[in-house]
Amino acid sequence: MDSPPDSLIEAPAVATRRAKVVVLAPMDTALDYLIPDDFDLSVGDHVWVPLGHAKVRGVVVELYDSAEAAKLKPVAARIDDPRVPEASLRFWLWAAAWTLTAPGTFLKGCLQALKTPKAQARHGYVRREVEALKPTAKQARVLELAVLPLTAAELAQAAGVTPGVVQTLEKKGWLEKVELSREGFAAPDPDHKTPSLNADQGAADRLLQNEWERQGFAPVLLDGVTGSGKTEVYLESVARALRDDPTAQVLVLLPEIALTTAVMGRLQSRFGVPPVQWHSAVSASQRRRIWDGVASGEARLIVGARSALFLPYTNLKLIVIDEEHDGSYKQEEGVRYQARDLAVMRAHRDGFMVVLASATPSLETLTNAQKGRYQWVRLESRHGTAQLPDIALIDMKTHPPEKGFWLSDPLVGEILATLQRREQVLLFLNRRGYAPLVLCRACGERMTSPKTDSWLVEHKSTGRLVCHLTGFSMKKPDRCPHCGALESLTAIGPGVERILEEVHERFPQARAEIFSSDTTPDADSSAALIKRVENHEIDILIATQAAAKGHNFLNLTLVGIVDADLGLKGGDLRAAERTFQLLAQATGRAGRATKPGRALLQTYTPEHPVMQALQAQDREAFYAYEQMSRDIARFPPFGRLGAVILSAKDNGLLNRYARELALAIPNTEGIDVYGPADAPLSLVRGMWRKRFLVRADRNRDLQGFMNAWLKSLKAPNAVRVVTDIEPYSFL
């Protein structure tokens, strides 16, 4: 993608037609170029165009005729890559403007898969009918096998000969070289295995069918308690879309790879073929193949993480967003976007249905449903005979654990009783590693990542200290790097490794494992661990949020939340909402079959509204309280937020620019700007950081305000400016 190949034909230099081209560079506008007379271009074509003294890659976004005299350079060449479908291209450009990203920067991200060259054509060999053959014994074995086309390597291996024997037979004319068909995408069968829906699921499906038949933009919240069978319901909408239009494409968005593994089997069982997967573990060559397949329309059922939204769909007719509340739909690095919100806008722009499924909807989605902007479809009971678990709070002030331990006596007693019944236990703690903080007992030094304020997390299993923010890793030292005291570094607080250590000590006969991104870094290892749980090869599963949703462990009857207060700490706008959602999902893993379930939450603040709502299983009370709090502050969903993050290696330069930017804030009614303030993590990778927070009424143009403000004062080259529309992280 970085330089034009020699095989491209140079275009002549005279033209009357013109093209607007977005070059893959951080430029705010498209550039105009002449189109040579004998040069055929369409919107969405990839081209090489001159820019300064170089040729750069770009995408044609508009074609027009003009008689005006202008000193324009001609398009240099067209690139033989699949054309970007116009609907996808328009959506990408809209999303760039929405996120305040230069269009070339945004498109460059969407086209990353094209960095990998197309797969070369594969060739095979098949036997020719030639008279009077006198082959050797080895040649005869090859000819006997060459009834159907096979590659030279396949033929040679099957016949037990070297590839040279195959080449000799080709030279003699006894084998014909043919091009093998490329690996395609199997078409999903919407009627492969029709499920039997219960009465509640059937009623929900009929409501979804009514929305589908409107044949236009139809946002639907599929709101069902954990274990109610939401997946089976929305898969019927997927089948409906595939059945009604033989060229329709469907996207199912999932929050993470672990959930992809859990859902993939259901999708394959329902539609007879594995869906096309798109996530971080997909290889570069597979990404290229998928990109081409989506652009051609051959790939029809795509399941993926948030970036799958930006594949080049030719005829997208339905988007399903499973676990729509999940925070991982928010992209926090590079171009910052909320995939859920952009997916709804894609459906709105192109006039099709979008289903948002969750047991604990985001406040934004729930408010839209309450106000009638979204259709609201509810599943209020679990599938079959399963019942929601009983939930109880353990006040850790009344039941403090023994010194050096983290599990209270009431929780330990419930674990013992559960193991005696030969049932399984989930201990939930959303904190990886052994301990979140390592400090020196002698001088009080806290171990942090170099040139970063982030604490180093001890991973006892590897003997290393790791920064989960920057990825920095080091062997745990014997001495304090600050004061030199020997063996003075001590672990503070628990992570899942420390809970595993306690479980081994308290329950030595129990088989226990950790389920986190450290122990299951990819889809295969995640699937293997899930299978061990299902086969009851694990008695106690100690897990982070990787196990909090999307899994049906039928013999798991007890969930223990080790630190229910963890997510409530700090000044995060959505801390209460996220904690409620995560703990509701985690406790929902208990009692998903015929056996009753129970969940115990260890907390130092049992009076907190989140804990009270969880214990009472009164979701409506919590959401009403949270909506009232947000409404008073005019925060989302009753207002809008934007963030500006400034960073520089020179703290003095950063402070000067931040003050100048503060003085340049336009005085606009209905919009408030707070800051500049030091970011909570004020030093990351050697860069000092400042933040502004912009709050706007819903009827104000937040992006227009931020764009005008930031362009009114040019930032020094040494200062990096990042914008974030609807921020989720305030670090």
Side-chain angles (χ1 to χ4, degrees), residues 484-670:
L486 181 64
E487 296 182 354
S488 64
L489 297 178
T490 186
I492 304 297
V496 285
E497 290 181 11
R498 201 164 196 172
I499 300 304
L500 177 65
E501 189 176 84
E502 180 174 349
V503 163
H504 283 322
E505 184 170 343
R506 288 184 180 273
F507 314 105
Q509 303 304 316
R511 299 163 296 178
E513 287 194 42
I514 291 174
F515 190 177
S516 76
S517 58
D518 296 317
T519 60
T520 56
D522 53 46
D524 290 341
S525 58
S526 176
L529 186 142
I530 291 168
K531 181 60 70 175
R532 291 197 296 278
V533 177
E534 292 172 344
N535 292 340
H536 204 163
E537 297 170 22
I538 297 173
D539 300 308
I540 301 177
L541 186 66
I542 302 152
T544 63
Q545 63 180 344
K549 47 193 174 291
H551 302 294
N552 278 307
F553 301 136
L554 302 184
N555 195 45
L556 197 156
T557 59
L558 175 65
V559 172
I561 308 297
V562 177
D563 186 354
D565 307 320
L566 180 61
L568 296 174
K569 297 163 186 172
D572 187 344
L573 160 70
R574 296 179 175 85
E577 179 187 358
R578 278 205 286 249
T579 299
F580 178 84
Q581 290 164 340
L582 184 59
L583 297 187
Q585 294 281 347
T587 56
R589 297 311 102 195
R592 295 176 72 91
T594 56
K595 299 175 182 177
R598 183 165 169 74
L600 299 178
L601 283 67
Q602 297 190 154
T603 174
Y604 286 93
T605 57
E607 70 283 355
H608 194 285
V610 169
M611 302 306 156
Q612 290 294 308
L614 286 166
Q615 181 180 30
Q617 301 197 48
D618 191 346
R619 193 189 78 174
E620 281 63 33
F622 168 74
Y623 277 126
Y625 171 83
E626 190 69 10
Q627 284 174 320
M628 179 186 67
S629 302
R630 301 268 193 95
D631 195 6
I632 291 170
R634 306 312 292 167
F635 278 173
F638 306 101
R640 300 190 59 207
L641 291 180
V644 178
I645 304 101
L646 311 177
S647 57
K649 291 185 177 180
D650 184 337
N651 199 20
L653 174 65
L654 177 67
N655 283 324
R656 285 193 298 275
Y657 176 68
R659 286 194 297 268
E660 292 171 1
L661 194 58
L663 292 173
I665 296 171
N667 186 12
T668 305
E669 186 178 351

Side-chain angles (χ1 to χ4, degrees), residues 327-333 336-338 364 469 570-575 578 636 641-645 678-681 684 689-694 722-731:
S328 65
Y329 284 124
K330 175 67 177 185
Q331 168 71 28
E332 297 285 7
E333 295 291 333
R336 302 188 180 206
Y337 64 88
Q338 177 29 286
E364 289 85 351
L469 176 68
D572 187 344
L573 160 70
R574 296 179 175 85
R578 278 205 286 249
L641 291 180
V644 178
I645 304 101
D678 288 333
L681 289 176
V684 176
R689 304 168 71 241
K690 293 274 188 184
R691 292 185 66 106
F692 289 89
L693 183 66
V694 184
V722 172
T723 55
D724 188 357
I725 301 299
E726 304 299 352
Y728 272 51
S729 170
F730 295 87
L731 295 178

Side-chain angles (χ1 to χ4, degrees), residues 70-86:
K71 292 183 178 180
L72 298 178
K73 294 179 180 180
V75 173
R78 184 170 59 82
I79 301 171
D80 185 23
D81 273 330
R83 180 178 298 148
V84 181
E86 193 161 351

Side-chain angles (χ1 to χ4, degrees), residues 461-476:
S461 60
T462 59
R464 302 189 71 81
L465 305 181
V466 180
C467 175
H468 291 165
L469 176 68
T470 65
F472 171 81
S473 172
M474 63 179 286
K475 184 179 178 181
K476 184 179 180 181

Side-chain angles (χ1 to χ4, degrees), residues 82-85 88 92 182 185 247-251 276-278 286-303 308-316 346:
R83 180 178 298 148
V84 181
S88 290
W92 294 353
R182 66 179 179 84
F185 296 95
T247 67
Q249 293 172 305
V250 175
L251 169 62
V276 178
Q277 297 185 54
W278 181 273
Q286 279 292 89
R287 282 176 173 261
R288 173 63 199 239
R289 174 175 165 265
I290 292 168
W291 203 97
D292 291 350
V294 173
S296 70
E298 185 183 3
R300 297 188 60 208
L301 177 55
I302 297 90
V303 177
L309 181 62
F310 303 107
L311 287 169
Y313 299 98
T314 60
N315 190 25
L316 189 57
R346 175 73 197 257

Side-chain angles (χ1 to χ4, degrees), residues 13 17-19 31-34 64 68-74:
R17 295 174 300 148
R18 301 183 184 183
L31 303 179
D32 292 284
Y33 290 91
L34 297 174
Y64 66 100
E68 292 182 12
K71 292 183 178 180
L72 298 178
K73 294 179 180 180

